[in-house]
Every structure is written in structure tokens, then in C-alpha cells.
Amino acid sequence: MPEMVQFFDYLGVAVFAATGALAASRNNLDLIAFMFFAAVTGVGGGTLRDLLIGEPIFWIDNSRYIIICFVVAILVWFTAHLAESRYRLLLWADAFGLAGYSVMGAAKALEADTSLLAAILMGAMTATFGGLIRDVIAGTPSVLLRREIYISAAFAGAAGFVALQMVDIPAPLAAFLGFALALTIRAGALAFGWSFPAYRLPSQPQ
């Protein structure tokens, strides 16, 4: 695996683990719960990806991923109270995790010889599924249901990475640009409320 792509893999796990631990902190849970939330959130998206593309589940063969989750959980346990708004911090950390995992998910799918469309889809699913699990087990409204752009940012990052790989852009540069694209879109959504028009029921006839 290219070094830059491996970096985004660890980044995605660490940052999503932090969002899981932050969710535990908002519910005033104990340290074991912090570690559980961090692990489930950190590896959830990648686990779904590996199951769907028929690859060995990444964290079972490499314990570093779970160790990263546990270390992050402990750090958040000691520092979460310092954040002025833990929910706002969770959203921004989630944005970085989404950007990193959109690239990593697509890269892992390409390595498994999936179609280009499947690789983009795997990138988006890898980037969003961990956050979905986190919100469900925390009993909070899912970030997927917020009005501002979320899933589209993951698709953009994955698609950008795949497109650049298809025109022979070096993997490290393609990974960085895909990450930057996803993060820029999600950051704009958080900072400025970027969103697409929402579905509305047609008006009833008089």
C-alpha cells in the first residue's frame, strides 16, 4: 500500500475513533465505553468495505488499528472537557475522518480490482458508515440527516481520487487531492451551511 494512502488509513481510523469517544463523552459514559465507541466508530466503515469486496477484515490481521482506537479514546477521556462545544468538535473531526476514509476506501477497492464505480461507492461507504454506527449506538440524530452536504463530500473525495489514478497521477498526490476535495466541501458545508435543495412533497390540488 502506498505510504500516503496508508497514512490516510491510519488518519481515518484515528479521527473517527475520536468522534466515537467524543460521542461517549457527551453521554457521560465510562472509559470502557469510550474505548468501545472509539473502536466501533474507527473500524466500522472499513469493516463494511472489506466484507463487501471480499477482502480480509483489516483490523483483524493488524492490531495497530484497534490500538490506535484505544489510545485515542484514552486521550479524549482526559481532554474532552477542554472543548467549548464537544458536538461542534465532533462534527469537524468527523469531517477530517470522512475525507481521509473516502480516499482510503476507494484505494482499497481499486487494489481489489473492483470497477471504478464500485471503488467510488466503497470510498463513500467507508467514509460514512462508521459515523452512522456511532450515532445509532449513541442514540443521537445521525449526522447523515443534517441538511448540509455530507455524503456528497465523501463521493467527491473518492471520485476525485479514482479519476486522478485513472490518468496516472501518482498515488500520493491523488490521495492528497482527493482528501483536500472532500474536506473542502464538508468544511464549506459546516462553515457556511452548503446544501442541496431538499425534497418537498408536491402541493395538493385545491
Side-chain angles (χ1 to χ4, degrees):
M1 182 183 296
E3 184 176 344
M4 179 64 74
V5 176
Q6 181 70 75
F7 166 77
F8 283 120
D9 194 17
Y10 288 134
L11 173 68
V13 169
V15 178
F16 268 129
T19 71
L22 284 168
S25 77
R26 295 181 70 238
N27 286 276
N28 300 317
L29 301 179
D30 60 33
L31 179 58
I32 301 303
F34 270 60
M35 297 170 74
F36 174 75
F37 269 71
V40 169
T41 310
V43 304
T47 300
L48 176 64
R49 175 203 63 218
D50 288 348
L51 288 171
L52 290 176
I53 64 177
E55 290 288 303
I57 297 175
F58 69 108
W59 56 269
I60 291 179
D61 291 334
N62 185 347
S63 60
R64 292 177 186 173
Y65 293 99
I66 298 299
I67 292 172
I68 288 172
C69 292
F70 288 168
V71 169
V72 168
I74 293 169
L75 290 175
V76 173
W77 169 266
F78 286 108
T79 60
H81 65 283
L82 301 176
E84 181 177 353
S85 170
R86 280 174 283 174
Y87 186 62
R88 193 68 179 169
L89 178 60
L90 184 155
L91 291 177
W92 279 99
D94 184 271
F96 278 87
L98 177 144
Y101 250 13
S102 67
V103 170
M104 184 55 216
K108 186 73 176 288
L110 287 178
E111 288 182 355
D113 294 324
T114 66
S115 68
L116 301 184
L117 183 59
I120 295 170
L121 182 60
M122 288 301 103
M125 291 179 67
T126 305
T128 57
F129 192 69
L132 176 61
I133 296 175
R134 174 199 65 222
D135 295 338
V136 168
I137 62 177
T140 59
S142 174
V143 69
L144 294 174
L145 300 179
R146 290 172 63 91
R147 281 292 310 276
E148 72 265 4
I149 293 171
Y150 186 77
I151 297 176
S152 297
F155 270 109
F161 170 76
V162 170
L164 291 171
Q165 285 281 270
M166 292 306 99
V167 295
D168 295 326
I169 300 298
L173 179 58
F176 174 78
L177 292 175
F179 170 85
L181 177 60
L183 181 60
T184 298
I185 294 173
R186 181 59 182 149
L190 287 173
F192 307 112
W194 293 351
S195 64
F196 292 119
Y199 173 76
R200 293 286 185 271
L201 289 172
S203 58
Q204 296 297 321
Q206 298 296 327

